[in-house]
C-alpha cells in the first residue's frame, strides 16, 4: 500500500487488513504469558539444581566433578531464562492501557492494540469523509445549474471540506502505521539482542559465519553499481577517456555481481534467473564494445568519404590540388593528409565480428587499450580527426554515414535493454532501501515454478524463489 493510499476502498477497509495492522493483541499477550511462565519455570529449576549441590558433602573427586557439570547446566539454564524473559517482556503478557507518550517503548501486545485503535479511528474518519465527498460529487454532477450557481458552489465547498477531512484521516493513518512500525522494531530489536548476546549460540558467532549474506549483499550492490555506471557509460560514451573508463568499471561491477549471484544461486539463496540476467549484462558489454567501435570507425570513414567528395567539388571550381585537399579536410574535420587513412578506417562486416562477443566481454586488455587509445597513449592509434571537428550530421551522406548511424542505434539498444533488465531485477537487501536501488520488479516472475529456480538438483534445489 502506497503512502497516498491510492486504490483503497475506504468503505470496506478494515483495521486488521494485512497492509494496515494485522494480528490479535490478545493472542500476542497469551503467547507472551506462556513464554513468561516458561521463563519462571526455568528459573525455578535452575534454583533447585543450584541448591542441590550448594552445601557440604561434596568434598571428593566425584562430588567436585558433579558440582562442575551442574554449575555449567545452571549457567545454561540461567541464560535460557534470560532469553525467554526478554522475549516475554518484549511481547507483553497482557494488553495494557494506551501509552501517554507514543515515542516510549512498550510491549508489542499493548502497542499493537493501540495501533489498531488509531487505525480504527482513522478509517472511521476516512469512511465518513469519502462518503461525503462522493455524495457531494454525485449531487454536483446531477445539478442542472451552471458552475457558478449558488447551490452548486455550496456543494463544491462541502466537497472541499470532505477532501480535507479525508487527507487528515490519511495523515492519522500514516501516524498510526509509523507507530506500528516503530514499536514492532523495538520488540524485534529486544528479542534479537537477547538471542545474539545471551551466550547460548554454539559455536561462537564470527563475522565469517554470515558469508552467504555477505556474498548476496555484495552481489546486490555490485548490481546497483553496474546499473549506475552502465547508464553513465551509455550517456557519456562519446566523451574520450571518460566513456571508456566508465564502461570498464561497469564491466567489473557486472562480473562481480555475476560471480556473487552464481554463488547465491548454488546455495539456493538466489535464483538462476538472476544469474542469466547478469550474464546477459556482461555479454552486452562485449556486444556494445564491438558495436560502438563499428559506429566510431564508420563515422571516421564517413568523414573521409565526405572529404574526398569535397576535394572533387573544389577542383571543379578551379582550386589547385593542395588547396582543394586542405579545404576538404577543414570542412570535414579530418587531419591534414589523412583522408585516405580515414577511408581505410571503414568497419569490416558487422555480423562476423559479433561472433567474438564473449571474448570481447572478458578481454581486460581490450578495455585497457580502449582507454589508452582515447587518451592518445597507444602508438599508432592516434585519432584521425582534428579538434573541433563538425558533427557527423554536417558531413555529406555516404554508406559509411548510414552505417555509423545504424551502428550507434544498435549500440544504444545493446546497452539499454540489458541495463533496464538488470535494474528491474535488483531486490532490496535491507529494510527501508530505496526503490531506486531495489525496485524488485521481477519478484512475481520468480514465484513461477522453474523460472525462479535456484540451488543444485538433488541437493538444495528449489523450483521458485519462495522455496
Amino acid at each position: 500500500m502506497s503512502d497516498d493510499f491510492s486504490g483503497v476502498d475506504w468503505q470496506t477497509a478494515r483495521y486488521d487488513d494485512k497492509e494496515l495492522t494485522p494480528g490479535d493483541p490478545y493472542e500476542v499477550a497469551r503467547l507472551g504469558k506462556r513464554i513468561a511462565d516458561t521463563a519462571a519455570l526455568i528459573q525455578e529449576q535452575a534454583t533447585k539444581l543450584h541448591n542441590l549441590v550448594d552445601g557440604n558433602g561434596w568434598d571428593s573427586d566425584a562430588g567436585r566433578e558433579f558440582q562442575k557439570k551442574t554449575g555449567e547446566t545452571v549457567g545454561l539454564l540461567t541464560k535460557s531464562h534470560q532469553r525467554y524473559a526478554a522475549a516475554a517482556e518484549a511481547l507483553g503478557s497482557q494488553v495494557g492501557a494506551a501509552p501517554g507518550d507514543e515515542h516510549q517503548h512498550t510491549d508489542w501486545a499493548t502497542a499493537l492494540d493501540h495501533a489498531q485503535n488509531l487505525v480504527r479511528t482513522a478509517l472511521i474518519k476516512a469512511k465518513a469523509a469519502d462518503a461525503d465527498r462522493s455524495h457531494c460529487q454525485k449531487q454536483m454532477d446531477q445539478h442542472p445549474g451552471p458552475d457558478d450557481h449558488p447551490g452548486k458552489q455550496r456543494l463544491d465547498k462541502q466537497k472541499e471540506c470532505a477532501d480535507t477531512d479525508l487527507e487528515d484521516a490519511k495523515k492519522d493513518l500514516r501516524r498510526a502505521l509509523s507507530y506500528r512500525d516503530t514499536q514492532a522494531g523495538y520488540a524485534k530489536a529486544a528479542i534479537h539482542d537477547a538471542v545474539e548476546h545471551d551466550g547460548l549460540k554454539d559455536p561462537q558467532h564470527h563475522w565469517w559465519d554470515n558469508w552467504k549474506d555477505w556474498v548476496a549483499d555484495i552481489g546486490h550492490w555490485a548490481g546497483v553499481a553496474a546499473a549506475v555506471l552502465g547508464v553513465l557509460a551509455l550517456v557519456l560514451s562519446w566523451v574520450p577517456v571518460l566513456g571508456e573508463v566508465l564502461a570498464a568499471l561497469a564491466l567489473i561491477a557486472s562480473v562481480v555481481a555475476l560471480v556473487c549471484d552464481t554463488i547465491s544461486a548454488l546455495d539456493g539463496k538466489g535464483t538462476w534467473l538472476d544469474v542469466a540476467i547478469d550474464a546477459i549484462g556482461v555479454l552486452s558489454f562485449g556486444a556494445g564494445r564491438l558495436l560502438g567501435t563499428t559506429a566510431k570507425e564508420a563515422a571516421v570513414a564517413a568523414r573521409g568519404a565526405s572529404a574526398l567528395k569535397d576535394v572533387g567539388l573544389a577542383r571543379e571550381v578551379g582550386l589547385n590540388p593542395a588547396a582543394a585537399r586542405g579545404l576538404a579536410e577543414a570542412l570535414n574535420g579530418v587531419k591534414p593528409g589523412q583522408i585516405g587513412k580515414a577511408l581505410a578506417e571503414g568497419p569490416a562486416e558487422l555480423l562476423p565480428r559479433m561472433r567474438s562477443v564473449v571474448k570481447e566481454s572478458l578481454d581486460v586488455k581490450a578495455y585497457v587499450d580502449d582507454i589508452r587509445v582515447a587518451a592518445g597513449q597507444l602508438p599508432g592509434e592516434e585519432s584521425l580527426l582534428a579538434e573541433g571537428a563538425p558533427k557527423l550530421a554536417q558531413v555529406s551522406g555516404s554508406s559509411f554515414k548510414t552505417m555509423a548511424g545504424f551502428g550507434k542505434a544498435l549500440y544504444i539498444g545493446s546497452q539499454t535493454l540489458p541495463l533496464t533488465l538488470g535494474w528491474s531485477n535488483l531486490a532490496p537487501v535491507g529494510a527501508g532501501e530505496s526503490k531506486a536501488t531495489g525496485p524488485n520488479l521481477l519478484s512475481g516472475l520468480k514465484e513461477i515454478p522453474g523460472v525462479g529456480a535456484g540451488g543444485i538438483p538433488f541437493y538444495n534445489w528449489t523450483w521458485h524463489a519462495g522455496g
Side-chain angles (χ1 to χ4, degrees):
M1 181 181 291
S2 60
D3 288 343
D4 61 355
F5 303 105
S6 57
V8 175
D9 184 352
W10 299 109
Q11 302 305 313
T12 60
R14 287 177 50 84
Y15 71 92
D16 56 355
D17 285 343
K18 64 179 182 178
E19 298 89 355
L20 299 176
T21 49
D24 185 341
Y26 292 93
E27 284 297 325
V28 174
R30 276 191 281 272
L31 175 60
K33 179 66 168 59
R34 287 198 297 271
I35 295 176
D37 290 344
T38 302
L41 179 61
I42 292 173
Q43 183 63 37
E44 179 184 348
Q45 298 306 315
T47 301
K48 289 180 178 179
L49 192 57
H50 177 73
N51 292 336
L52 178 65
V53 296
D54 186 21
N56 298 323
W58 298 94
D59 190 16
S60 66
D61 290 342
R64 283 189 289 272
E65 184 63 24
F66 184 75
Q67 281 182 314
K68 178 182 177 182
K69 293 296 184 183
T70 302
E72 293 173 355
T73 302
V74 170
L76 289 174
L77 287 173
T78 301
K79 293 174 181 177
S80 298
H81 164 263
Q82 294 169 353
R83 175 178 291 193
Y84 277 86
E89 183 179 359
L91 293 175
S93 56
Q94 62 180 4
V95 178
D101 182 5
E102 292 184 357
H103 296 288
Q104 72 182 36
H105 295 210
T106 186
D107 60 82
W108 178 235
T110 300
L112 178 59
D113 181 65
H114 182 54
Q116 289 184 340
N117 288 333
L118 292 175
V119 171
R120 283 193 189 95
T121 303
L123 287 179
I124 291 172
K125 185 176 180 179
K127 183 177 181 180
D130 180 65
D132 288 345
R133 67 196 294 271
S134 297
H135 178 69
C136 291
Q137 185 63 56
K138 183 177 181 181
Q139 286 190 313
M140 289 171 61
D141 293 340
Q142 296 176 348
H143 199 288
D147 290 343
D148 59 353
H149 189 281
K152 206 166 188 178
Q153 290 183 341
R154 184 178 65 255
L155 288 171
D156 186 57
K157 290 182 179 179
Q158 291 176 355
K159 182 178 179 298
E160 289 181 0
C161 290
D163 288 338
T164 301
D165 290 342
L166 182 58
E167 289 303 317
D168 290 342
K170 290 179 181 180
K171 291 179 182 178
D172 294 342
L173 195 54
R174 292 188 194 99
R175 181 170 62 87
L177 297 183
S178 176
Y179 173 77
R180 172 205 65 183
D181 293 341
T182 301
Q183 294 297 330
Y186 290 151
K188 177 183 176 181
I191 296 173
H192 181 269
D193 187 64
V195 171
E196 289 293 322
H197 301 102
D198 59 9
L200 281 176
K201 285 201 169 186
D202 187 22
Q204 185 178 358
H205 233 43
H206 300 285
W207 67 266
W208 56 79
D209 292 338
N210 295 323
W211 69 271
K212 295 176 183 178
D213 293 332
W214 280 85
V215 168
D217 290 351
I218 292 172
H220 170 73
W221 291 111
V224 172
V228 174
L229 291 168
V231 171
L232 292 176
L234 179 61
V235 174
L236 303 173
S237 60
W238 305 103
V239 179
V241 182
L242 181 58
E244 287 78 11
V245 170
L246 288 171
L249 292 175
L251 173 65
I252 292 171
S254 296
V255 172
V256 171
L258 174 59
V259 172
C260 291
D261 285 349
T262 300
I263 294 173
S264 294
L266 288 169
D267 181 56
K269 186 179 181 68
T271 71
W272 291 109
L273 179 61
D274 299 326
V275 176
I277 291 174
D278 290 343
I280 291 173
V282 171
L283 292 176
S284 72
F285 285 103
R289 184 175 180 277
L290 287 172
L291 292 168
T293 300
T294 296
K296 290 176 182 178
E297 290 174 349
V300 173
R303 293 177 184 279
S306 180
L308 191 63
K309 185 183 295 185
D310 288 343
V311 168
L313 293 175
R315 292 284 290 144
E316 289 179 5
V317 297
L319 290 182
N320 62 55
R325 187 174 62 252
L327 177 62
E329 290 168 344
L331 288 174
N332 294 280
V334 179
K335 285 184 177 180
Q338 299 296 329
I339 294 178
K341 192 172 182 181
L343 274 170
E345 284 284 303
E349 292 183 31
L350 182 59
L351 291 180
R353 295 178 65 182
M354 293 301 290
R355 296 172 185 169
S356 303
V357 165
V358 176
K359 177 183 177 182
E360 292 288 333
S361 301
L362 303 176
D363 189 349
V364 177
K365 183 177 181 299
Y367 286 88
V368 174
D369 287 346
D370 285 345
I371 297 172
R372 294 178 64 192
V373 168
Q377 296 179 354
L378 195 63
E381 296 290 347
E382 295 82 4
S383 173
L384 301 179
L385 302 182
E387 292 186 11
K391 295 181 180 179
L392 185 62
Q394 296 172 323
V395 305
S396 61
S398 69
S399 60
F400 288 123
K401 184 175 180 179
T402 302
M403 184 179 290
F406 184 59
K408 185 176 181 180
L410 284 177
Y411 166 73
I412 293 174
S414 74
Q415 304 303 290
T416 302
L417 295 178
L419 280 172
T420 302
L421 189 61
W423 174 79
S424 301
N425 190 46
L426 291 172
V429 295
E433 185 176 336
S434 169
K435 286 287 187 181
T437 59
N440 203 21
L441 300 180
L442 303 184
S443 58
L445 188 64
K446 295 177 186 177
E447 294 176 3
I448 301 175
V451 177
I456 303 172
F458 309 111
Y459 175 62
N460 61 345
W461 183 262
T462 55
W463 276 102
H464 54 83

